[in-house]
Amino acid sequence: MDRTQGQVDPAEPSSGPARVVTLTAGDFTLTVNPVDGSEIEPLRPGAERARPRRRDAAGRAARDTAARPPVLPGAPASARLTPAREEERARLVRLLSHGRSVRLTGPSGSGRSGLLDAVAADCAGVAPDGVVRLSGYGQQQPAELLHALYAAVYEAPDERPLRPDREELLARVREIGAVVLLDDLEMGGAALDELLRATPECAYLLAATPDTKAPSDASHLEEVFLGGLGRAESVEFLEAGVGRALTEEETAWAGDLRFASEGLPLRFVQAAALLRQRDELNGTRGGDEDEEPGVFEERPRDAAFVPLPTLAEGAAPAELLASRVSESARAVLRIACALGGELPHHAHLPALVGDTHADAAVAELLGCGLLTPVGTRYRLASGVARQLEEVGYGDPAAEEARTAARHYAWWTGHASVTPERVAAEADAVLAALAGADVVAAVLLARTAAPAFAASLHWEAWERVLRSGAEAARKAGEVAEQAYFHHELGVLALCEGRLERARAELEASIGLKGALADKRGTVAGRRALALVTDREAAGAAAVSPPLRLAPPVGGAVALAAPGPVAALGPAVPVAATGPTVPVALAAPVGPRASEAVTAVVPARRDAPANLAEVFAEPFPMSLKPSPAPALAPPVAARPVAGSRKRTVLLAAAGALTVAALGTVVALAVGSGDEETTPAGPGPKVSSTTPDVPAAGTDTAGEPGGNDSAGDPADPAGSGSGAVTEAEPGATPGEGAVAPTPGVSRGAGAKPSGGGTPSRKPPVVPPKTSPVASPPTTSTSPSSSPSASVTPTATPTPTTSVSAPTATGTGTGT
């Protein structure tokens, strides 16, 4: 039905007319009902959405008029650019004509908006879709700007409003070819890059302040900076504003003002207003000095001479300017301060101020430089709100905001007001909502939310719904709180935010259930069912996770630390050791297709285990030789037939035992050299200590006891005693315990000698035999012998003895 058509609710005959608007939002049909809440349903299978069409010349002209600020009563002010701005204007037009996007950077009050107006007039026929003017004030994300650009170029073929989903929106705006003038830009970086990528056929002129986030390097934007006016330009600009030539005193004052304000054009607009007011107060304007002041004139008969403003008053002129305007204009300034700088449309000012001629105050304030255009509205110029609040204009802010909220609650709920008019007043409505008390805020949000939804200004719709829900919670209005949560859920569902939609709708259903609202509960459950269907469709549309190819063969790999459920059965590594979980190539369970990815080494020729790494240093072709061992080998069972691992473990143990045996032999030899003098016995050199045969001492004589009478060793177990080797014992095993009847050697002193010996060195305990019995070599030349056993490391042993000796010596 028509958006302005009234409809009476049959359930509530006492209620007034309500605007019910039906619109298309993506794949849904949304019916905005201000009484019971919005209803959403999917598009019918047979209904196809009509393709939007581009606006013609008449439509573009109407669009441009709607994008400009409202025309104020009275004579329009003439906009004139200085020669310096004319050069920048020509440069901007040239860049835009070549399809380049430009970022125009200048401080607040540098004349960016006026320069954009001049450029828009020169670029009217450059692009096929003309010139599109947008406002980026308060926009931090590109979504709403893209929707605004879509609405400026396309129009729905029927009377039903259309808001496309994201896919269709991106497809439509990609085809737009226009010169886009975006004033008051507040975003940069990745958000700005997204806007530029979505519209590759558009040339942008972005007006921003220096504190706005800079664009990325990939945006490829041309940078144009607006500076201040020069001395001659500032004087010329000031003379044009005053309407006469400046005196020498005023010219000097203008030079000082340029230095203090860095040549900003806004300061000279305000300075021109100060000079005009001074002329009116002094009676020197237009030949009025010869006329007698009338009774109804505000100028007194005997007015004192007003001097030039000081430099401080010229740099911050808001207080002085406000003191010289009409009372209606000062009331408008108080309303603007209460709304955070936002100025309502001039048609609302008579009702807000209480003066039928208050609408003319906007033109008066704009001529003084206290207002500036922002998009389709006006607001206080930069720095004006702070200067006015310091002198008391912000004291009645609470009362003014409450008055504005109640006025807008009546106006937005009136059946004759279209949603487009409410959307144009969105900033002032939101400012009044933020400053009002909870009762007025609930009332205003309840009436403004349906209008914002019907006008497709969904950013304002969401903001007013959240503010209304918070105000209803504070006021204890459960029914209104349920309404706001329902609308938030419907909005989230239209935008594809399913989790947020479910949360808001469940909260609304719970509140409506507590109120026994059957109709509201049914509407909420229908919307929640759509959320469930969308979630199921999204889960079915998601493709299964990408899995790599399973490993070839049935190789077994040791599992890394991880969850126990991902490991296979435990495989014992040793008889006495712990069990190590092993990850199989295929998972255990019915889902055999989801195989675990095989671990591929970084190098093709890399060995698979440590046994292959040490296979070269320990070759298997050497002859066996005795090797000392201190510990018996671990009876380990090879895992998966790995014989090389067993050889590696045994080799490591044998190396340790050989090192310990060498240390013991060196300790014994060093003790012999210190305590035994040189004698006529044979000199023996050996790299590995050999154990003498049983019953033979170190000198080759049958068992004697030379150390029995040693006073330092009465028990005959001195440091020079050599133990008796048992059959089948290892070479280091004979030093475990001393045996009586074995002498130290040829150089040992007879019993009763006076040289005490050292204490015996600490030797490892006796272990079980693992090597073959030692052999005694009596040949004059050294002959190496080697033996290899499964549990010993092949170590060559070399022994050299004298021809007359019958056994090996222990000295080194």
Side-chain angles (χ1 to χ4, degrees):
M1 68 189 319
D2 191 3
R3 67 186 65 177
T4 59
Q5 181 177 356
Q7 174 176 315
V8 178
D9 189 5
E12 299 178 10
S14 60
S15 62
R19 294 169 299 178
V20 178
V21 180
T22 302
L23 55 91
T24 302
D27 297 334
F28 297 103
T29 298
L30 180 62
T31 303
V32 181
N33 188 351
V35 178
D36 299 324
S38 301
E39 298 180 2
I40 184 172
E41 59 181 357
L43 289 176
R44 296 182 180 181
E48 296 182 359
R49 290 177 297 180
R51 186 181 181 88
R53 61 174 180 266
R54 275 183 165 88
R55 298 181 183 271
D56 52 6
R60 287 197 296 268
R63 174 199 64 191
D64 296 340
T65 302
R68 299 297 305 276
V71 179
L72 300 176
S78 59
R80 179 176 175 273
L81 295 179
T82 61
R85 294 293 187 258
E86 291 290 345
E87 296 178 2
E88 294 166 346
R89 170 185 181 179
R91 180 185 177 187
L92 293 175
V93 172
R94 182 174 64 255
L95 290 174
L96 293 173
S97 301
H98 289 81
R100 303 297 299 272
S101 295
V102 187
R103 187 174 187 262
L104 181 64
T105 305
S108 298
S110 59
R112 293 176 287 112
S113 299
L115 186 57
L116 260 63
D117 294 339
V119 171
D122 295 339
C123 296
V126 171
D129 291 321
V131 178
V132 178
R133 301 202 58 162
L134 300 177
S135 176
Y137 183 80
Q139 302 288 344
Q140 299 294 335
Q141 299 297 329
E144 286 300 320
L145 289 177
L146 290 176
H147 279 287
L149 179 61
Y150 171 86
V153 176
Y154 294 97
E155 59 181 355
D158 50 7
E159 294 298 330
R160 175 179 296 184
L162 173 63
R163 184 179 174 92
D165 54 8
R166 181 173 178 80
E167 289 76 11
E168 185 179 358
L169 174 66
L170 294 178
R172 297 299 180 196
V173 298
R174 186 174 293 274
E175 302 173 356
I176 296 177
V179 175
V180 182
L181 306 182
L182 183 56
D183 199 1
D184 298 307
L185 180 69
E186 293 187 2
M187 63 181 179
L192 183 58
D193 292 344
E194 183 180 352
L195 176 64
L196 297 178
R197 286 196 303 268
T199 55
E201 301 298 329
C202 293
Y204 282 88
L205 178 56
L206 309 171
T209 56
D211 56 349
T212 305
K213 187 177 180 180
S216 63
D217 297 336
S219 60
H220 303 291
L221 289 175
E222 295 285 343
E223 291 284 349
V224 175
F225 296 93
L226 284 182
L229 301 178
R231 183 178 181 85
E233 295 172 350
S234 60
V235 172
E236 181 182 357
F237 191 85
L238 189 58
E239 290 179 346
V242 177
R244 61 175 177 84
L246 301 180
T247 63
E248 294 182 0
E249 183 183 6
E250 293 171 345
T251 303
W253 177 76
D256 296 339
L257 180 61
R258 173 191 171 275
F259 179 79
S261 63
E262 298 181 354
L264 291 180
L266 177 62
R267 295 292 178 262
F268 288 95
V269 172
Q270 297 170 347
L274 289 176
L275 294 181
R276 290 196 306 267
Q277 291 176 350
R278 175 174 174 266
D279 293 343
E280 292 177 359
L281 294 175
N282 290 332
T284 59
R285 182 176 178 85
D288 293 340
E289 61 275 5
D290 296 336
E291 298 179 2
E292 184 70 16
V295 178
F296 300 101
E297 294 184 6
E298 297 182 1
R299 182 166 56 91
R301 290 180 178 270
D302 299 328
F305 179 77
V306 178
L308 279 175
T310 63
L311 187 60
E313 292 174 342
E319 178 185 359
L320 185 58
L321 288 173
S323 64
R324 295 175 177 178
V325 296
S326 62
E327 183 61 32
S328 299
R330 287 193 290 269
V332 171
L333 290 177
R334 283 190 289 268
I335 294 176
C337 290
L339 298 182
E342 296 292 339
L343 186 67
H345 192 274
H346 63 272
H348 299 277
L349 294 180
L352 293 174
V353 174
D355 185 1
T356 56
H357 301 287
D359 54 348
V362 179
E364 182 181 0
L365 295 175
L366 185 62
C368 293
L370 298 179
L371 299 180
T372 182
V374 178
T376 60
R377 65 194 188 280
Y378 296 99
R379 61 175 289 116
L380 294 181
S382 174
V384 173
R386 177 182 54 81
Q387 298 173 25
L388 293 178
E389 289 174 356
E390 291 177 354
V391 295
Y393 276 79
D395 295 341
E399 184 64 28
E400 297 290 349
R402 185 182 303 109
T403 301
R406 294 185 180 276
H407 168 75
Y408 278 123
W410 165 81
W411 180 71
T412 56
H414 201 276
S416 62
V417 180
T418 62
E420 288 76 14
R421 292 179 59 188
V422 178
E425 203 72 9
D427 294 280
V429 171
L430 292 173
L433 181 64
D437 59 297
V438 292
V439 178
V442 170
L443 181 61
L444 176 57
R446 190 68 170 79
T447 57
F452 286 142
S455 65
L456 302 181
H457 194 346
W458 282 9
E459 182 181 5
W461 186 25
E462 183 175 4
R463 291 176 60 184
V464 75
L465 287 176
R466 295 194 180 280
S467 300
E470 181 65 18
R473 184 187 64 82
K474 293 179 180 179
E477 298 287 344
V478 181
E480 305 299 336
Q481 189 177 359
Y483 168 81
F484 292 129
H485 282 296
H486 175 81
E487 296 295 295
L488 284 171
V490 171
L491 173 61
L493 177 58
C494 292
E495 294 181 345
R497 297 176 293 168
L498 300 182
E499 295 182 0
R500 170 63 63 181
R502 175 175 291 277
E504 297 290 351
L505 290 174
E506 287 178 352
S508 175
I509 292 172
L511 294 174
K512 291 179 179 179
L515 296 173
D517 185 2
K518 295 183 179 180
R519 296 179 57 181
T521 303
V522 170
R525 291 193 179 279
R526 287 178 179 175
L528 190 60
L530 286 179
V531 174
T532 304
D533 294 343
R534 289 286 172 167
E535 290 176 344
V542 173
S543 60
L546 179 63
R547 297 184 179 274
L548 302 180
V552 180
V556 178
L558 291 178
V564 180
L567 302 178
V571 178
V573 177
T576 59
T579 59
V580 179
V582 176
L584 303 180
V588 179
R591 303 179 66 180
S593 61
E594 301 179 1
V596 180
T597 305
V599 179
V600 181
R603 293 176 51 191
R604 298 280 184 180
D605 54 350
N609 48 39
L610 292 178
E612 294 186 10
V613 174
F614 294 100
E616 186 64 24
F618 300 96
M620 302 300 296
S621 60
L622 297 178
K623 296 181 181 181
S625 66
L630 293 180
V634 180
R637 247 186 322 181
V639 179
S642 178
R643 182 174 176 273
K644 294 182 180 180
R645 186 177 301 172
T646 306
V647 175
L648 174 64
L649 296 176
L655 281 176
T656 306
V657 172
L660 291 176
T662 304
V663 171
V664 172
L666 291 175
V668 174
S670 62
D672 294 343
E673 291 177 359
E674 292 178 1
T675 59
T676 305
K683 305 298 182 180
V684 181
S685 175
S686 174
T687 58
T688 302
D690 296 334
V691 180
T696 306
D697 61 0
T698 57
E701 301 177 356
N705 191 3
D706 297 337
S707 61
D710 193 348
D713 193 3
S717 57
S719 62
V722 179
T723 58
E724 181 181 359
E726 299 179 2
T730 57
E733 212 170 25
V736 174
T739 304
V742 180
S743 63
R744 295 181 57 184
K749 278 195 171 195
S751 61
T755 303
S757 61
R758 280 187 173 185
K759 292 183 180 181
V762 180
V763 295
K766 184 177 181 181
T767 57
S768 58
V770 294
S772 59
T775 59
T776 304
S777 174
T778 58
S779 59
S781 61
S782 60
S783 58
S785 61
S787 63
V788 178
T789 61
T791 60
T793 304
T795 305
T797 305
T798 305
S799 301
V800 180
S801 61
T804 58
T806 59
T808 60
T810 60
T812 57

